[in-house]
Amino acid sequence: MTPRQAPDLPPTAAADLPAKPKRVRLVPEVRRQQILDAALIEFGALGFTAASISKIAARAGTSKANLYVHFANKDEIFESLLKVLLVPTNSIWRPMQPGQDMQASIDAYVDELFGGLTPQSMAIMRLLIAESHRIPALANRWYEQTIVPTKVEQQQHIDAYVAAGQLRKTPLSDYFGFAMAPVLYAAIMQMVFGGQIAESESHKAKETLRKLLHMMLPAVAAS
Amino acid sequence: MTPRQAPDLPPTAAADLPAKPKRVRLVPEVRRQQILDAALIEFGALGFTAASISKIAARAGTSKANLYVHFANKDEIFESLLKVLLVPTNSIWRPMQPGQDMQASIDAYVDELFGGLTPQSMAIMRLLIAESHRIPALANRWYEQTIVPTKVEQQQHIDAYVAAGQLRKTPLSDYFGFAMAPVLYAAIMQMVFGGQIAESESHKAKETLRKLLHMMLPAVAAS
Amino acid sequence: MTPRQAPDLPPTAAADLPAKPKRVRLVPEVRRQQILDAALIEFGALGFTAASISKIAARAGTSKANLYVHFANKDEIFESLLKVLLVPTNSIWRPMQPGQDMQASIDAYVDELFGGLTPQSMAIMRLLIAESHRIPALANRWYEQTIVPTKVEQQQHIDAYVAAGQLRKTPLSDYFGFAMAPVLYAAIMQMVFGGQIAESESHKAKETLRKLLHMMLPAVAAS
Amino acid sequence: MTPRQAPDLPPTAAADLPAKPKRVRLVPEVRRQQILDAALIEFGALGFTAASISKIAARAGTSKANLYVHFANKDEIFESLLKVLLVPTNSIWRPMQPGQDMQASIDAYVDELFGGLTPQSMAIMRLLIAESHRIPALANRWYEQTIVPTKVEQQQHIDAYVAAGQLRKTPLSDYFGFAMAPVLYAAIMQMVFGGQIAESESHKAKETLRKLLHMMLPAVAAS
DNA sequence: AATGAATGAGTTTTCATTCAT
DNA sequence: AATGAATGAAAACTCATTCAT
């Protein structure tokens, strides 16, 4: 894990190109995507208000005015950005694969969960936490249409395993979504403290989650 | 639980008093506290950058210029605010009281943990998540001097109970700090989604935590 | 000569035009020059600190914000201004023309020297005296690249005349640059006292300089 | 000669005394003088507008509010300061002493003239040049009551010497006040360019003045 | 579609000055 | 006489947004 929010952002693309290609005309979708890419970096590092249109434009390699050709205003850029980001879900949590032995499958899943804590996914989390009030409808829609179905599907898998006697019934098997809590916890530690502290706290949270999940294993307990 | 971050802030004190009491002179501590109170509301609702000195001053019932009599600049206000907020820790997590029967004690503790999720404590959390990069030293100091000692003391209590046979050894008794994860999870749900969603997610996290803790109970398992 | 520094500045251009022509778009060079013109008046009359960006913008007939489109900050405006002003030198002092008889030539030169004391050139002098510490490099460069060459060329002319026996060797022919002293003296008198006093002192300094220069005349002495 | 205007001012008196003597009550004249001393340093280094009441107060070792007990406002401080400074004239220029031989006397006088160019006297000059418009009456009074009498007395001495055949009649003996021009010239060079340049220009101006004055010597000419 | 120039509204901060003690 | 607290006015500067080409 890298340090938390570091406002020493990667330099603008424009910085690399002193000879600026005058007036490149792009199809709207391409331009829009360039702008959103730039916006993610800036918003993610600085938050909505502290991020500036100038910087986004510079990073996107175009002019401020051109942002307004593609988006109505700053809010719309933000909203479009999150609309894109929230669609695919950083949908990491897939249930264990049947082929593997069960414990290995759990271990892999735990690794996958915590492995999803990339700088980018954390930037998105921070944006959601700090600025979701700007996009309440979007956030709720994301919850209803992405989070809930994922959780439901996941829970169905677990329930099926439990019914089949392949997993024992524990509080975690009853509400498997609980597994997100330690992941979020690790993310927050990273955002707030960074460095050593985050590493240590994340590790403990992860291992405890692993052991709790192992308690769902049928035969004899684990690690 | 009330709705999440609502930038329809309570109106300024001054708004109520069109006839402003000219030149109230206060001792510095009082005035500073008034300013910090106002600052918490504004920073908490809007974040550092979006909060404005003008609004803080208005809310504190004094002039912009007077803020600069008591604080060097906006950053110092923010830092002073967090310095105060982070000292006492909303140190909620106290171990179970010996008198009670153990299960009731655990239940009380869980209620206390989630009961600590007041609008104010959540405003602080959001500030920490969104703006801790402004006060890295403070945040780390808080972790070292407040979080760590609290966790250590807590874990010692648990360990003692386990050694005395009053609690069973489980992954949670091994790392009791894990209990913070679902609390944080509930807080984030509140911040990001608010309303129904938060309520429901919080409830599930809380009850799962409760059941997990009950697994530490000695005799026969719980709920 | 007019009165010295009169902070009753000529009114802003905008003052005359209550119906402001919306959004005049100019090429940068033109706009920059307008701003610098306004800046000269304001800086010249009030000095760097007392001059204000608002007033300069108003006088230039544009918005404050637009000044920042063309210049990075107040200092840069000041520096750009002086860079322009110091380049061409108020390069007045040219040696006597061969055609004329020598005495007439000297007299013309003296008149030219003191005639260069326009309000504008004096505003520049005052700026240099009061604010040159803001632009040490510029000032020194101006000295090296403009003052020195001019003086050198001038001295060479004089030396040639002396060598040719057309002028006598006197302390003034040895260091002809000395002639600037009474001019500066007149300027300072004007800046500090203005009116009658300046007029009288200038006159005396000028006539004395003239007589001293006449002492370089070969045949019989002068006035 | 030291560098020109150096806004690295000597530190405030208060800086030396962390334990501040609470509420020292002084007789008005003493306090006034302390304030004026501080004001000279600040105004002299920064000019009227850039100098600040806070700094003057701090340097004087008292409170801002107390300045307003002794002076009506910033302008009055400035005016009082110059009233004091302009009274005694750093009126150095005294005619040659009879005892000495004439040439030595002239040389001593020239040295004295240029020796009067102390940092302090130059600060005053700069103030006069940059800010005399704030105190037109004072400046004129100073001219009438101090400069003029001094010059008149001086000229009378010269005239007497010329009448007595001890000095020859030259343009400089006709208007001896001209001698101030090269001194002012040296001062301005120092203010504008400082360092090497000022030194060199001052030297040339001084030596030329010396030689011009030597031309008043009766017998055979000098150096 | 693209953009350089332009701007109104707002930002943080400073300053000379005043009030209450 | 002295001062800490208070403040209105203004300063420099920024920003999201718009206009004209």
Side-chain angles (χ1 to χ4, degrees):
Chain A
M1 278 183 194
T2 41
R4 66 199 137 142
Q5 179 171 11
D8 359 296
L9 299 172
T12 294
D16 309 337
L17 306 168
K20 55 175 170 180
K22 277 280 184 184
R23 284 212 169 222
V24 213
R25 186 186 187 120
L26 301 175
V27 287
E29 295 103 55
V30 173
R31 244 306 124 76
R32 275 181 71 97
Q33 194 51 50
Q34 289 179 343
I35 294 169
L36 292 180
D37 289 347
L40 172 56
I41 296 175
E42 297 288 334
F43 282 139
L46 303 170
F48 179 84
T49 307
S52 87
I53 290 288
S54 297
K55 294 257 193 66
I56 294 173
R59 185 176 292 281
T62 186
S63 68
K64 260 187 298 180
N66 199 23
L67 294 212
Y68 288 88
V69 172
H70 295 277
F71 299 93
N73 51 38
K74 195 181 181 185
D75 291 76
E76 205 197 271
I77 297 178
F78 185 73
E79 198 170 331
S80 301
L81 177 63
L82 285 197
K83 201 173 294 179
V84 171
L85 292 176
L86 296 186
V87 159
T89 308
N90 19 14
S91 62
I92 338 166
W93 32 23
R94 223 151 299 126
M96 25 240 110
Q97 309 293 334
Q100 301 175 275
D101 99 273
M102 199 55 96
Q103 174 164 344
S105 178
I106 287 178
D107 287 349
Y109 175 56
V110 169
D111 288 342
E112 190 185 351
L113 271 182
F114 282 79
L117 292 179
T118 63
Q120 163 149 341
S121 72
M122 285 179 42
I124 297 170
M125 276 189 222
R126 185 169 33 234
L127 274 185
L128 273 175
I129 292 169
E131 318 277 5
S132 67
H133 63 100
R134 295 179 190 281
I135 44 151
L138 251 184
N140 284 20
R141 188 144 54 81
W142 176 59
Y143 180 79
E144 305 291 2
Q145 298 183 358
T146 307
I147 305 289
V148 166
T150 309
K151 287 178 104 171
V152 164
E153 187 198 343
Q154 178 125 319
Q155 189 64 47
Q156 286 171 343
H157 282 283
I158 303 297
D159 290 347
Y161 276 103
V162 170
Q166 292 188 277
L167 287 180
R168 292 169 52 201
K169 177 174 157 61
T170 77
L172 265 182
S173 70
D174 288 347
Y175 175 51
F176 194 74
F178 187 89
M180 275 318 286
V183 179
L184 213 56
Y185 178 81
I188 303 292
M189 290 299 110
Q190 176 64 20
M191 293 178 201
V192 175
F193 301 113
Q196 283 300 131
I197 295 174
E199 220 121 331
S200 145
E201 290 285 342
S202 295
H203 180 74
K204 287 187 279 187
K206 181 178 174 182
E207 291 314 312
T208 301
L209 173 63
R210 187 195 308 277
K211 291 195 278 179
L212 286 173
L213 290 176
H214 284 178
M215 293 174 77
M216 298 193 307
L217 293 176
V220 270
S223 121
Chain B
M1 276 185 194
T2 40
R4 68 198 137 142
Q5 177 173 13
D8 359 298
L9 298 172
T12 294
D16 309 337
L17 306 169
K20 54 175 170 180
K22 272 283 182 178
R23 280 213 178 216
V24 234
R25 185 203 185 100
L26 300 176
V27 290
E29 297 100 58
V30 173
R31 183 65 73 175
R32 275 179 72 97
Q33 195 52 51
Q34 288 180 346
I35 294 169
L36 292 180
D37 289 347
L40 173 56
I41 296 175
E42 298 287 333
F43 282 140
L46 304 170
F48 179 85
T49 306
S52 88
I53 291 288
S54 296
K55 295 259 191 63
I56 294 174
R59 183 174 295 280
T62 188
S63 67
K64 256 184 298 181
N66 200 25
L67 294 211
Y68 288 88
V69 171
H70 296 277
F71 298 92
N73 50 41
K74 196 181 179 183
D75 291 76
E76 205 198 89
I77 296 179
F78 185 74
E79 197 170 332
S80 300
L81 178 62
L82 285 197
K83 202 173 292 179
V84 170
L85 292 176
L86 296 187
V87 158
T89 307
N90 15 19
S91 63
I92 340 168
W93 32 22
R94 221 150 300 125
M96 24 242 109
Q97 308 295 333
Q100 301 177 276
D101 101 88
M102 200 54 98
Q103 173 164 346
S105 179
I106 286 178
D107 288 348
Y109 175 57
V110 170
D111 289 340
E112 191 186 351
L113 271 183
F114 282 80
L117 292 179
T118 62
Q120 163 149 340
S121 72
M122 287 178 39
I124 297 170
M125 278 188 221
R126 184 169 31 232
L127 275 185
L128 272 176
I129 293 169
E131 318 277 3
S132 67
H133 63 102
R134 296 180 189 281
I135 45 153
L138 252 182
N140 282 21
R141 188 144 55 81
W142 176 59
Y143 179 80
E144 305 291 1
Q145 299 185 356
T146 307
I147 305 289
V148 165
T150 308
K151 287 180 105 170
V152 163
E153 189 198 341
Q154 179 126 315
Q155 188 65 47
Q156 287 171 340
H157 283 282
I158 304 296
D159 290 349
Y161 276 104
V162 170
Q166 292 187 277
L167 287 179
R168 291 169 52 200
K169 176 171 158 61
T170 77
L172 265 181
S173 71
D174 286 348
Y175 174 51
F176 194 73
F178 187 88
M180 275 319 286
V183 178
L184 214 56
Y185 178 81
I188 303 293
M189 290 300 110
Q190 175 65 21
M191 293 178 201
V192 175
F193 302 112
Q196 281 303 129
I197 297 173
E199 220 122 332
S200 144
E201 290 287 342
S202 294
H203 180 74
K204 286 187 280 189
K206 181 177 175 183
E207 291 315 313
T208 302
L209 173 63
R210 189 194 308 276
K211 291 195 279 180
L212 288 173
L213 290 176
H214 283 178
M215 293 174 76
M216 300 193 308
L217 291 176
V220 270
S223 138
Chain C
M1 277 184 195
T2 40
R4 69 197 132 141
Q5 177 172 13
D8 359 297
L9 299 172
T12 294
D16 309 338
L17 306 169
K20 54 176 171 180
K22 273 282 183 182
R23 280 213 177 216
V24 231
R25 186 203 184 99
L26 301 175
V27 291
E29 297 99 61
V30 173
R31 184 64 71 172
R32 275 180 71 97
Q33 195 51 52
Q34 288 180 347
I35 294 169
L36 291 180
D37 290 347
L40 173 56
I41 295 175
E42 298 288 332
F43 283 139
L46 304 171
F48 180 83
T49 307
S52 87
I53 291 288
S54 296
K55 294 261 192 64
I56 294 173
R59 182 174 296 280
T62 188
S63 67
K64 255 183 298 181
N66 200 24
L67 294 213
Y68 288 90
V69 170
H70 296 278
F71 298 93
N73 50 39
K74 196 182 178 182
D75 290 76
E76 204 196 271
I77 296 179
F78 185 73
E79 197 169 332
S80 301
L81 178 63
L82 285 196
K83 202 173 293 182
V84 170
L85 291 177
L86 295 185
V87 159
T89 309
N90 15 19
S91 62
I92 338 167
W93 33 24
R94 220 152 301 125
M96 26 239 111
Q97 308 295 334
Q100 302 177 277
D101 99 273
M102 201 55 95
Q103 173 164 347
S105 180
I106 287 178
D107 288 349
Y109 175 57
V110 170
D111 289 340
E112 191 186 349
L113 272 183
F114 282 79
L117 292 179
T118 62
Q120 163 148 341
S121 73
M122 287 179 40
I124 297 170
M125 277 189 220
R126 186 170 28 233
L127 274 185
L128 272 176
I129 293 169
E131 319 277 4
S132 67
H133 62 102
R134 296 180 188 281
I135 44 152
L138 252 183
N140 283 20
R141 187 144 54 83
W142 177 60
Y143 179 80
E144 305 292 2
Q145 298 183 356
T146 307
I147 304 290
V148 166
T150 309
K151 287 179 104 169
V152 164
E153 188 198 342
Q154 179 124 322
Q155 188 65 48
Q156 286 171 341
H157 282 284
I158 303 297
D159 290 348
Y161 276 103
V162 171
Q166 292 188 278
L167 287 179
R168 292 169 53 200
K169 176 174 159 62
T170 77
L172 265 181
S173 70
D174 287 348
Y175 174 51
F176 195 73
F178 187 88
M180 276 319 285
V183 179
L184 214 56
Y185 178 81
I188 303 292
M189 291 297 112
Q190 175 65 19
M191 292 177 201
V192 175
F193 302 112
Q196 282 302 131
I197 296 174
E199 219 121 333
S200 144
E201 290 286 343
S202 294
H203 180 74
K204 286 188 281 189
K206 181 178 174 182
E207 291 315 311
T208 301
L209 173 63
R210 187 194 309 276
K211 290 196 280 182
L212 287 173
L213 290 176
H214 284 179
M215 293 174 75
M216 299 193 307
L217 291 176
V220 269
S223 114
Chain D
M1 275 185 197
T2 41
R4 65 201 137 137
Q5 178 172 13
D8 359 297
L9 298 172
T12 296
D16 309 337
L17 306 168
K20 56 176 169 179
K22 277 279 184 183
R23 285 209 168 226
V24 212
R25 187 184 186 121
L26 300 176
V27 287
E29 295 102 56
V30 174
R31 238 317 116 77
R32 276 181 69 98
Q33 195 51 50
Q34 290 179 341
I35 294 168
L36 291 179
D37 289 348
L40 173 56
I41 296 175
E42 298 287 335
F43 283 139
L46 303 170
F48 179 83
T49 306
S52 87
I53 291 287
S54 297
K55 293 256 193 66
I56 294 173
R59 184 175 293 281
T62 187
S63 68
K64 260 187 297 180
N66 199 24
L67 294 210
Y68 288 87
V69 171
H70 296 278
F71 299 93
N73 50 38
K74 195 182 182 184
D75 291 76
E76 206 198 271
I77 296 178
F78 186 73
E79 197 171 333
S80 300
L81 177 63
L82 284 196
K83 202 174 292 180
V84 170
L85 291 176
L86 295 185
V87 159
T89 305
N90 18 17
S91 63
I92 338 162
W93 31 23
R94 223 150 299 126
M96 22 241 112
Q97 309 294 335
Q100 301 175 276
D101 102 89
M102 199 56 96
Q103 174 164 347
S105 179
I106 287 177
D107 288 349
Y109 175 56
V110 170
D111 289 343
E112 192 185 350
L113 271 183
F114 281 80
L117 292 180
T118 62
Q120 164 149 342
S121 73
M122 286 180 39
I124 297 171
M125 276 188 221
R126 187 170 29 232
L127 274 185
L128 274 175
I129 293 170
E131 318 277 5
S132 67
H133 62 101
R134 296 179 190 281
I135 45 151
L138 250 184
N140 283 19
R141 189 144 51 81
W142 176 60
Y143 180 79
E144 306 291 2
Q145 299 183 358
T146 306
I147 304 289
V148 166
T150 309
K151 287 179 105 171
V152 164
E153 188 199 342
Q154 180 126 315
Q155 189 63 49
Q156 285 171 344
H157 281 283
I158 302 297
D159 291 348
Y161 275 104
V162 170
Q166 290 188 278
L167 287 179
R168 291 169 53 201
K169 176 173 159 61
T170 78
L172 266 182
S173 70
D174 287 347
Y175 175 51
F176 195 74
F178 187 90
M180 275 320 286
V183 180
L184 214 56
Y185 179 81
I188 303 292
M189 290 299 108
Q190 176 64 20
M191 293 178 200
V192 175
F193 303 111
Q196 283 301 129
I197 296 174
E199 219 122 330
S200 145
E201 290 286 342
S202 293
H203 179 75
K204 286 188 278 189
K206 181 177 174 183
E207 292 314 312
T208 301
L209 173 63
R210 187 195 309 275
K211 290 196 278 181
L212 287 172
L213 290 175
H214 283 178
M215 292 174 76
M216 301 193 307
L217 291 176
V220 269
S223 122

